[in-house]
Amino acid sequence: MGTDANQPSIARTLQAGILAWILPGAGHFALGHRGLGIVFFSAISFAYLTGVAVGGVKTSVDPQGNRWLFLAEMGVGGYTTAFYFWSSSIRVPPGSDPEYISFFPESDVAQIYLAAAGLLNVLAVLDALSRAQTGGLPTYHRDLPPAREDPGGGRG
Amino acid sequence: MTWLALPPVLAWVPFLNPIALPAGARLWMFLPLAFCIALVYRATRARTARELPWPTVINFVQIVVAMVLIAVGFYALHALVLWFS
C-alpha cells in the first residue's frame, strides 16, 4: 500500500462498503481495522447462522414466502445469496412430510435472528463507509472521550 | 437416548433441517442476540476493538434490564385490565 492508506477516496470507500456487505467485517478488515473486522464478523455471522440453523434454509431464506424478511436478510448480501441458491434448489412436493419447513416457535426465533443480523450488517456497512472517509474514525468520533495510549500502536 | 431415537438425529443436516427448540428455550434465545446487538452497536462507536469489552457488557445489561422492565410493565398493564374488567 502507498502512503495514502488513510486518504478518503471513492474507490476505497466503495470497496469497504461492498466488502462489508458481502461478508460481515470484511470492509473493516480491508481498512486495517482487523480487530473490529473480527468482531463484526463473529457477532453478525453468529446471529445469521443461528437464524438459518434454527429455522432451516427453506423457510428462512424465501423471498416468495416472506419478502420483508428477505429484504432485511439482504443486509448480509453474501450469506443471503448463497443460502438463497441453496433454498431454491430444495424441492418440497405438496403434501409431503415437511421435514425442511419450520413452524412456530422455531420460525419466529429464526426470523428475529435473521432480521437482526441483516440490519446489524447494514449498520456495519455504514460504519465501514464512514471509517473509509474519515481515515478510520467512527461516525460519532467527536462525541467520544479522548483515546488512551495504545501500547501496541496498531489499529483495532 | 434410546437406539430408536438415533436415526432422526443422524439424519439431521445443519441449516437444512430446522432445530426443534426445547420448551422454554425461546425466552433464553434472547440473550445471545442481545449480546450480538450490544457488541455491534459498541463496535460502531469504538476506535479500536480494545475499547469494546466493558462498554459492551454495560450495553448488554442495559438492553436486558430494559426488556425485563418493559415485560414487567406490560404484565402489570395486562393484570390491571383483567382486574378492572
Side-chain angles (χ1 to χ4, degrees), chain A residues 126-152:
Chain A
L126 294 175
D127 187 64
L129 294 174
S130 169
R131 285 179 199 265
Q133 290 189 323
T134 59
L137 293 171
T139 308
Y140 297 101
H141 60 92
R142 291 184 189 85
D143 303 334
L144 294 173
R148 289 180 299 175
E149 286 295 319
D150 184 2

Side-chain angles (χ1 to χ4, degrees), chain B residues 4-85:
Chain B
L4 289 175
L6 275 178
V9 173
L10 293 175
W12 181 76
V13 180
F15 304 115
L16 184 62
N17 299 107
I19 295 174
L21 291 176
R26 196 157 41 112
L27 182 64
W28 300 109
M29 291 292 284
F30 161 69
L31 293 178
L33 185 62
F35 187 79
C36 288
I37 291 170
L39 190 56
V40 171
Y41 177 71
R42 292 318 309 186
T44 61
R45 288 171 167 259
R47 295 181 190 88
T48 67
R50 290 171 197 273
E51 297 177 2
L52 281 177
W54 191 235
T56 301
V57 170
I58 293 173
N59 227 164
F60 170 67
V61 171
Q62 286 173 335
I63 293 171
V64 172
V65 169
M67 293 295 281
V68 168
L69 290 178
I70 289 169
V72 169
F74 274 115
Y75 179 81
L77 183 66
H78 176 250
L80 275 175
V81 170
L82 289 180
W83 178 265
F84 287 110
S85 62

Side-chain angles (χ1 to χ4, degrees), chain A residues 9-150:
Chain A
S9 71
I10 293 175
R12 183 176 155 82
T13 305
L14 278 177
Q15 181 197 37
I18 291 170
L19 283 174
W21 179 70
I22 292 172
L23 185 69
H28 291 81
F29 206 85
L31 290 172
H33 299 284
R34 299 192 172 179
L36 289 176
I38 291 169
V39 167
F40 280 118
F41 174 79
S42 306
I44 295 170
S45 298
F46 171 79
Y48 192 96
L49 297 178
T50 301
V52 179
V54 169
V57 67
K58 185 67 184 168
T59 311
S60 302
V61 187
D62 180 15
Q64 281 81 37
N66 193 338
R67 75 182 69 163
W68 294 111
L69 174 64
F70 187 77
L71 191 63
E73 288 168 350
M74 281 308 287
V76 193
Y79 288 170
T80 302
T81 304
F83 279 116
Y84 169 70
F85 284 119
W86 186 8
S87 173
S88 303
S89 69
I90 302 168
R91 299 277 173 254
V92 180
S96 65
D97 184 23
E99 60 180 323
Y100 303 139
I101 309 297
S102 60
F103 301 98
F104 178 86
E106 286 83 9
S107 60
D108 274 28
V109 172
Q111 285 177 22
I112 293 167
Y113 265 76
L114 286 162
L119 298 177
L120 285 175
N121 201 48
V122 171
L123 204 60
V125 169
L126 294 175
D127 187 64
L129 294 174
S130 169
R131 285 179 199 265
Q133 290 189 323
T134 59
L137 293 171
T139 308
Y140 297 101
H141 60 92
R142 291 184 189 85
D143 303 334
L144 294 173
R148 289 180 299 175
E149 286 295 319
D150 184 2

